[in-house]
Amino acid sequence: MRPLLYSINVTLDGCVDHNAGSADEALRQEALRATHRHAIGSMGRADGLLFGRVTYQMMEEAWRLETRTIAMPDWTEPFARTIDGMKKYVVSSTLDRVDWNAELVRGDLAEAVQALKQARGKALFTGGVRLPVALAELGLIDEYEFVVQPIIAGRGPSLFAGLSKAIDLKLVDRIDLSSGAVALRYEPRK
């Protein structure tokens, strides 16, 4: 069975707003470079991306190479090529169609994700804020990765807000990034 891997950047105080970062531009750029390098390796373990509508649309705007209108620094190209080429599965009840190497996931979330996990291939990789709460509630996430940024945001949406029950995790890996961030990987305790 294909595992479902979840990864997100989070500040020390639990903020998951992707715009939360250092006020010092040089520190912010180094943090972004380190995070992108790490994300390429993490996503390399998977051959499919599972996104909710909001994350899919945000990623498409920033990383879809053929239609991108946002100017991005050259160092982001490896990340852009990685995400652009991957198969995407989009959980949405409001979108009528998707493209960008994507297909809609409809119906019962647990059944749909279980079917994706049972398909042949490498791992599935997910990110975002709201969909992972639903996936965690259903016990479908096999690995949690928190890339903890050395920042206290003091605002913004928080990690797993609204989760109805605690999930007991065990640490399986720790990677110190050059920016001072730490990637912590956990698996649910069985």
Side-chain angles (χ1 to χ4, degrees), residues 23 28 48-50 94 96 112 116 151 164 169 174 178 183 185 189:
R28 186 175 157 336
L49 301 170
L50 178 64
T94 59
D96 293 325
L116 289 173
I151 298 163
S164 70
L169 304 174
R174 173 195 166 116
S178 63
R185 286 189 185 152
R189 290 189 192 274

Short mmCIF file of all heavy atoms in Angstrom, two decimals, residues 23 28 48-50 94 96 112 116 151 164 169 174 178 183 185 189:
data_model
loop_
_atom_site.label_atom_id
_atom_site.label_comp_id
_atom_site.label_asym_id
_atom_site.label_seq_id
_atom_site.Cartn_x
_atom_site.Cartn_y
_atom_site.Cartn_z
N ALA A 23 11.34 39.22 8.92
CA ALA A 23 11.31 40.57 8.35
C ALA A 23 12.61 40.88 7.62
O ALA A 23 12.65 41.72 6.73
CB ALA A 23 11.07 41.60 9.45
N ARG A 28 15.04 35.58 5.15
CA ARG A 28 13.85 35.00 4.52
C ARG A 28 14.21 34.23 3.26
O ARG A 28 13.73 33.13 3.04
CB ARG A 28 12.86 36.13 4.20
CG ARG A 28 11.52 35.69 3.67
CD ARG A 28 10.63 36.91 3.53
NE ARG A 28 9.53 36.92 2.65
CZ ARG A 28 9.27 36.23 1.56
NH1 ARG A 28 10.10 35.33 1.16
NH2 ARG A 28 8.20 36.37 0.85
N GLY A 48 2.71 11.11 -6.53
CA GLY A 48 1.42 11.77 -6.63
C GLY A 48 1.24 12.78 -5.51
O GLY A 48 1.74 12.59 -4.40
N LEU A 49 0.56 13.87 -5.83
CA LEU A 49 0.26 14.93 -4.87
C LEU A 49 -1.24 14.96 -4.62
O LEU A 49 -2.03 14.91 -5.56
CB LEU A 49 0.70 16.29 -5.42
CG LEU A 49 2.17 16.44 -5.77
CD1 LEU A 49 2.42 17.74 -6.53
CD2 LEU A 49 3.01 16.39 -4.50
N LEU A 50 -1.65 15.03 -3.37
CA LEU A 50 -3.05 15.10 -2.99
C LEU A 50 -3.29 16.45 -2.35
O LEU A 50 -2.71 16.76 -1.30
CB LEU A 50 -3.39 13.97 -2.00
CG LEU A 50 -4.81 13.93 -1.46
CD1 LEU A 50 -5.82 13.67 -2.58
CD2 LEU A 50 -4.92 12.86 -0.37
N THR A 94 -16.37 21.83 -5.36
CA THR A 94 -16.77 23.05 -6.07
C THR A 94 -16.15 23.18 -7.47
O THR A 94 -16.72 23.85 -8.31
CB THR A 94 -16.42 24.31 -5.25
OG1 THR A 94 -15.01 24.32 -5.01
CG2 THR A 94 -17.18 24.33 -3.94
N ASP A 96 -15.35 22.12 -11.21
CA ASP A 96 -15.97 21.27 -12.23
C ASP A 96 -14.93 20.43 -12.95
O ASP A 96 -15.23 19.34 -13.42
CB ASP A 96 -16.73 22.12 -13.26
CG ASP A 96 -17.93 22.80 -12.65
OD1 ASP A 96 -18.57 22.21 -11.76
OD2 ASP A 96 -18.22 23.94 -13.07
N ALA A 112 -12.11 7.29 -1.25
CA ALA A 112 -11.32 7.79 -2.38
C ALA A 112 -9.82 7.74 -2.07
O ALA A 112 -9.02 7.31 -2.91
CB ALA A 112 -11.75 9.21 -2.73
N LEU A 116 -6.69 5.48 -3.70
CA LEU A 116 -5.42 6.03 -4.18
C LEU A 116 -4.24 5.34 -3.50
O LEU A 116 -3.22 5.06 -4.14
CB LEU A 116 -5.35 7.53 -3.93
CG LEU A 116 -6.25 8.42 -4.77
CD1 LEU A 116 -6.21 9.86 -4.28
CD2 LEU A 116 -5.86 8.34 -6.24
N ILE A 151 10.98 31.03 13.75
CA ILE A 151 10.25 32.31 13.73
C ILE A 151 9.06 32.18 14.67
O ILE A 151 8.42 31.13 14.73
CB ILE A 151 9.75 32.63 12.31
CG1 ILE A 151 10.90 32.79 11.33
CG2 ILE A 151 8.85 33.86 12.29
CD1 ILE A 151 10.48 32.70 9.89
N SER A 164 -10.39 16.95 16.27
CA SER A 164 -11.27 16.54 17.37
C SER A 164 -10.61 15.63 18.39
O SER A 164 -11.14 15.45 19.48
CB SER A 164 -12.51 15.84 16.81
OG SER A 164 -12.16 14.57 16.27
N LEU A 169 2.17 10.54 18.20
CA LEU A 169 3.18 10.35 17.17
C LEU A 169 4.52 9.92 17.78
O LEU A 169 4.81 10.24 18.93
CB LEU A 169 3.40 11.65 16.39
CG LEU A 169 2.17 12.28 15.74
CD1 LEU A 169 2.52 13.63 15.15
CD2 LEU A 169 1.59 11.35 14.68
N ARG A 174 14.99 13.42 12.00
CA ARG A 174 15.19 14.84 12.25
C ARG A 174 16.29 15.30 11.30
O ARG A 174 17.35 14.69 11.22
CB ARG A 174 15.63 15.07 13.69
CG ARG A 174 16.02 16.50 13.97
CD ARG A 174 16.77 16.61 15.29
NE ARG A 174 17.40 17.90 15.35
CZ ARG A 174 17.10 18.84 16.24
NH1 ARG A 174 16.18 18.60 17.14
NH2 ARG A 174 17.72 19.99 16.21
N SER A 178 20.07 24.25 6.70
CA SER A 178 21.07 25.31 6.79
C SER A 178 20.49 26.64 7.26
O SER A 178 21.21 27.48 7.79
CB SER A 178 21.75 25.50 5.43
OG SER A 178 20.81 25.91 4.45
N ALA A 183 13.51 19.89 10.18
CA ALA A 183 12.46 19.03 9.63
C ALA A 183 12.31 17.83 10.56
O ALA A 183 13.27 17.08 10.76
CB ALA A 183 12.80 18.59 8.22
N ARG A 185 10.18 14.40 11.29
CA ARG A 185 9.26 13.42 10.70
C ARG A 185 8.75 12.50 11.79
O ARG A 185 9.51 11.98 12.59
CB ARG A 185 9.96 12.59 9.63
CG ARG A 185 10.20 13.35 8.36
CD ARG A 185 10.69 12.43 7.28
NE ARG A 185 11.03 13.21 6.10
CZ ARG A 185 11.94 12.87 5.22
NH1 ARG A 185 12.60 11.72 5.35
NH2 ARG A 185 12.18 13.64 4.18
N ARG A 189 1.62 6.45 16.23
CA ARG A 189 1.81 5.23 17.03
C ARG A 189 0.61 4.33 16.81
O ARG A 189 -0.52 4.80 16.81
CB ARG A 189 1.92 5.57 18.50
CG ARG A 189 3.21 6.28 18.85
CD ARG A 189 3.36 6.40 20.36
NE ARG A 189 4.41 7.31 20.71
CZ ARG A 189 5.71 6.98 20.80
NH1 ARG A 189 6.08 5.76 20.55
NH2 ARG A 189 6.60 7.90 21.12
#
